[in-house]
Amino acid sequence: MSRKITFLTLLLWLMTVTFPVIAQQKADTTYTFRFVPQKDMFYVPWNGNDTELVRLLECVEKNKATILDGKLPLLVDGYCNSLGSEAENLATAKIRANRVKSELIIRAEIKEENFITRNHVTEGDFVTVRLTIPAKETAATDAEAEARRKAEAERLAAEKRAEQERLAAEKAEAEKAAQQNTLTDTPSETKITNDYHLSLRANLLRWATLTPDLGLEWRICPSWGIAVNGSWTSWTWSDKDHRYALWEVAPEVRYYMGEKKAWYLGAMFKAGQFNYKLSETGKQGDLMGGGITAGYQLRLNKALDLDFNLGLGYLNADFEKYEVIDGVRVRRGNETKDWWGPINAGVTLVWKLF
């Protein structure tokens, strides 16, 4: 009998010592919501999510006042490890956590500031919501509770500051990238496009002398192009006593050099006919020749370039001389001339058709 009394006394003493300690501990309640691998959509009636959501809403309703006061935050952890890269997993985990929070905000009428969110790229494809619910405290004082509340508030503020700094850094990086893209689009910095294209050409120097000039260039590849330009004009004045007429065709093969493919060397062939009478004696005949060309293309925008070029080589002109007497053209002999030197010059506007 004395042993039983001693045992009961010891048991009562242990219960007296243990229960207050247990009463001061906090119970973590965790709710898990499953997601389809590689997806971020929150399917409520799938894989037990509806049951977990009902349990969580009941718990939130019981502690709603404490939650809204900021004393009992909901700890939300998003997980994803089914995608190819860490950045994709982290972004998907964040979206999943936000979808669960949105469901709680709508159904339980709580706010974003009542959550503490963390995202992870390990463990699986799910989101957990955890509440650390305090039991009835028999030993904790009001001062201890206030200290815990302040510590939790400071921690929340620190997390918000960290999130704001991260967002500011991402914004600065995006602005820097946008500025670099803008600079890249300027004519002085942009590389000449290497896409194959067909271009329409017009030599502005020829047009300035009232000689219409048009041409085409086909860029076979970034380094090689085939161009052909043609000119034609026919003018008379002083009762047909003066004449300026010609036509020319000048095919050319070009090789573009350098990183920007702006400088080029080429080989040109030129053929045509002319009829000049700017004084008493006129000259009418054929010309033919060719040579090497060199130039530089300045990019104006995505569709327009300005082509500066010069050609050096040989021309042969075989012509007859004539005079006009009483409206009748009188032949005064034939002549042939050879020319070595500049055979072509241009400031050509280039329009890239495609």
Side-chain angles (χ1 to χ4, degrees), residues 278-326:
L278 305 179
S279 59
E280 292 183 359
T281 301
K283 298 177 181 180
Q284 178 178 351
D286 303 324
L287 61 86
M288 184 178 297
I292 60 172
T293 59
Y296 176 81
Q297 286 193 350
L298 174 66
R299 188 180 187 192
L300 303 179
N301 54 42
K302 291 182 179 180
L304 296 176
D305 289 352
L306 203 58
D307 186 334
F308 302 90
N309 58 83
L310 179 67
L312 301 175
Y314 166 77
L315 281 179
N316 172 266
D318 187 7
F319 57 92
E320 65 176 21
K321 297 181 179 180
Y322 68 88
E323 294 180 3
V324 177
I325 300 175
D326 295 332

Side-chain angles (χ1 to χ4, degrees), residues 24 36 70 76 190 318:
Q24 296 180 40
V36 178
V76 180
T190 302
D318 187 7

Side-chain angles (χ1 to χ4, degrees), residues 204-217:
L204 302 182
L205 293 184
R206 287 277 192 171
W207 284 88
T209 61
L210 303 180
T211 305
D213 177 279
L214 289 174
L216 293 172
E217 181 182 5

